[in-house]
Amino acid sequence: MVDVALWSGLRPLVEGRDSVEVEGRTVGEILNALRRDYPALGPTLDAGVSVVVDGRVIASSLTEPVSPDSEVVLMMRLKGG
């Protein structure tokens, strides 16, 4: 299981929790597990989020590996400007 910390805008969609646990070994598996286990997150995930793994923003790699002891944070989509 991987603990995923959530930015404050997502917390109402998961009963106010600041983090949730899901199973997954890659960023893509974690996002799929979040959609499955917390359907209310689906529209926000589909609109786009930024995933930070161990301090690195994962721009587009759904195959980026994640271990059970990784620090994973789901944030608002970061856009350049």
Side-chain angles (χ1 to χ4, degrees), residues 50-77:
S50 291
V51 180
V52 179
V53 178
D54 295 328
R56 293 182 306 119
V57 177
I58 308 303
S60 61
S61 176
L62 296 177
T63 59
E64 181 74 26
V66 178
S67 65
D69 62 339
S70 289
E71 179 183 54
V72 179
V73 181
L74 211 56
M75 300 172 42
M76 288 179 153
R77 176 179 244 167

Side-chain angles (χ1 to χ4, degrees), residues 14-36:
V14 294
E15 302 171 355
R17 295 166 35 187
D18 60 359
S19 68
V20 295
E21 284 192 339
V22 294
E23 290 198 36
R25 292 178 287 161
T26 66
V27 168
E29 288 179 6
I30 287 173
L31 292 174
N32 287 336
L34 287 167
R35 278 187 191 89
R36 180 192 66 232

